[in-house]
Structures are given as C-alpha cells and as structure tokens.
Amino acid sequence: MHWKQINWPVLVAALVLLVGFFVPWIRVPDGDSEQIVSGASMGVVAAQFGGGYYVVYLLPLFALGMGVAAVKKPSWASVIAIVVGVALLVWGLFELARFLFLQTRWGLWVTAVGAMLAAFGGALTWRRAHVLVVQAKAAAKAAKEAPTGEPTDAGTP
C-alpha cells in the first residue's frame, strides 16, 4: 500500500475516535465525590443507568474498522466513515436529548420550543419582507424602463 493511496481523512477520524474513547467524558456524582467516566469505563455507568450504555463499546470497533478500511480499502473507507459518523452522531444526540429530558423540567422545553418558533418565524417573515423588497425594486426598474406611450417600430413590417 502506497502512502498516497491511504484515505487520510478517514484514518485521522478513526484515530481521533479511538483517543476520544479513552479520555474523560462525563462526571457522575458519587455521594460526596464524583466519578470521572470515559467511554472505556462506561460499563460502570451502564450498570447504574441501564444496559443501553454498553453500546458505547462498539465505538472502538467501528473506529478500528474505519482505520483498517482507510489503509486496505480506501474507496470503501468513505462509505464506512459516513455510516459510522452518522450512527455515532445520532446515538450521541439521542443520549444527549435523553439526558436533558431526564435532568430538566417542562419549562425548559417550552422555552426551547419558543426559541425554535422565534427563529423560524423570524426567518420566515424576514424572507417574506426580503421578497417584497426585491419585487418592489424589480417593479420600479421595469416601470422606469417601460415605454412612455410613444409609437414603436414593433408593429411595422
């Protein structure tokens, strides 16, 4: 395998995923102290909070698969990286939403919905106003360039 044939972006992503698996992720209260948990030590939290957390142990397997593909099958590495990246992002966003849902109360969610409505409503009304301004400018330009009622050659043979 030549160095130029390696899918470097995927290989770097795989290495970052592997490193990230072993560094601290979260702090878990443990009585008067707290416990620092990495992806590698997530089994401690999984036993406390539910078996779904054991899924995290697939992360280094995915990363190793990406790394091997980046070196051995660079053309396949891109597809594998997209699948792994999207799967990990979806899982991470699900876990973040689940954590927030369990730790927050309904007032925060009502506020979040209000913020989304504000952003969407503002963007929608800004777009409408922008379209009206553009249309008004186009109409003014067309009126300025329109004939003033003088006869033209268009009807003569």
Side-chain angles (χ1 to χ4, degrees):
M1 176 64 48
H2 296 282
W3 287 100
K4 290 182 181 181
Q5 292 176 324
I6 294 173
N7 190 328
W8 287 103
V10 173
L11 184 59
V12 169
L15 293 173
V16 169
L17 283 172
L18 280 174
V19 169
F21 182 71
F22 293 100
V23 297
W25 282 16
I26 59 172
R27 290 178 288 183
V28 178
D30 189 18
D32 291 336
S33 64
E34 61 187 23
Q35 185 177 16
I36 305 296
V37 179
S38 69
S41 63
M42 192 61 77
V44 174
V45 177
Q48 266 181 320
F49 296 110
Y53 286 95
Y54 287 115
V55 171
V56 77
Y57 290 115
L58 293 176
L59 190 148
L61 296 176
F62 290 157
L64 288 172
M66 282 174 46
V68 169
V71 174
K72 298 285 185 181
K73 295 280 188 181
S75 60
W76 280 85
S78 299
V79 174
I80 293 169
I82 290 169
V83 170
V84 168
V86 169
L88 291 174
L89 285 172
V90 167
W91 175 75
L93 289 173
F94 172 78
E95 287 299 326
L96 180 62
R98 186 167 71 120
F99 172 79
L100 287 174
F101 182 76
L102 293 173
Q103 299 300 319
T104 60
R105 299 296 175 248
W106 69 279
L108 180 67
W109 293 98
V110 170
T111 304
V113 168
M116 286 186 274
L117 288 172
F120 180 73
L124 182 64
T125 54
W126 174 83
R127 178 70 180 143
R128 283 184 188 159
H130 181 69
V131 167
L132 290 175
V133 167
V134 169
Q135 287 174 345
K137 286 181 180 179
K141 184 178 178 182
K144 187 177 180 182
E145 295 174 356
T148 58
E150 296 180 15
T152 62
D153 299 341
T156 57

